[in-house]
Amino acid sequence: MDNKDKLISRQVALKGAVELAKDSDTIDEVLATAEIIQNWILSPFSKQAESPVVNAPMTQPSPQIHNESQSPVGQAEFKCPACASKVYDNRADKKSDKSPNFKCGNKQCTAGNNGFPYASWSDEPPAEIMPNAKPQELVQPKSLDDITENEAPF
């Protein structure tokens, strides 16, 4: 332990002593308390200096990845809503956060934006790619001639 570390521990000890002895009138009591606190802080380091022990670096076990998704990653067969091709689940091995989580495997699919294949950045599989998904009925707008006052146009 170098002098800088000892100085920092002394400052911490003095601050603690002042807090503990704030009702005391004598500075000697504050300094004595600070000495006790500093000795307590430095005691593990003085013991270590007496008997140096070289520890081998510990190998950390690889962290367990817990996927909190409702669907198991990569275990479902997803179908593109436009071309019925296989949709790949890329959540487990995305190269970038900007990459989609789900992407159609058909290069000629144009269901995505600007003529690209279908893709979704949703954390959970979208309903339209789930097996046996039924297409939702689209709301058809009413003709302007059929709309009465205070009625929605759909």
Side-chain angles (χ1 to χ4, degrees):
M1 176 174 278
D2 61 6
N3 286 336
K4 181 180 176 184
D5 292 333
K6 288 181 182 177
L7 179 63
I8 292 172
S9 68
R10 181 69 177 165
Q11 290 172 341
V12 169
L14 278 172
K15 185 174 182 177
V18 168
E19 287 294 317
L20 288 172
K22 61 184 171 187
D23 296 329
S24 177
D25 291 331
T26 65
I27 190 119
D28 293 333
E29 290 178 15
V30 173
L31 292 175
T33 305
E35 189 70 31
I36 293 169
I37 293 172
Q38 184 180 18
N39 290 339
W40 178 77
I41 291 172
L42 296 176
S43 64
F45 300 105
S46 62
K47 290 176 185 174
Q48 187 177 20
E50 294 169 5
S51 58
V53 177
V54 178
N55 292 330
M58 293 179 55
T59 57
Q60 296 289 334
S62 60
Q64 296 293 328
I65 298 173
H66 298 288
N67 184 8
E68 296 182 17
S69 169
Q70 296 296 324
S71 65
V73 176
Q75 292 186 5
E77 289 293 324
F78 302 121
K79 299 289 181 195
C80 178
C83 67
S85 296
K86 181 177 180 178
V87 172
Y88 290 95
D89 183 351
N90 299 322
R91 292 176 289 177
D93 57 352
K94 284 176 55 168
K95 293 179 175 52
S96 166
D97 288 337
K98 295 181 180 181
S99 300
N101 288 335
F102 302 93
K103 185 174 180 184
C104 180
N106 182 359
K107 301 280 187 205
Q108 282 75 38
C109 177
T110 58
N113 292 337
N114 299 328
F116 286 100
Y118 170 85
S120 172
W121 284 260
S122 171
D123 290 335
E124 296 296 324
E128 67 262 13
I129 68 170
M130 297 298 280
N132 303 324
K134 296 178 186 171
Q136 294 181 346
E137 291 183 27
L138 297 175
V139 176
Q140 297 297 323
K142 296 179 182 177
S143 169
L144 291 176
D145 297 331
D146 297 336
I147 299 173
T148 61
E149 192 172 325
N150 296 328
E151 184 181 7
F154 44 88

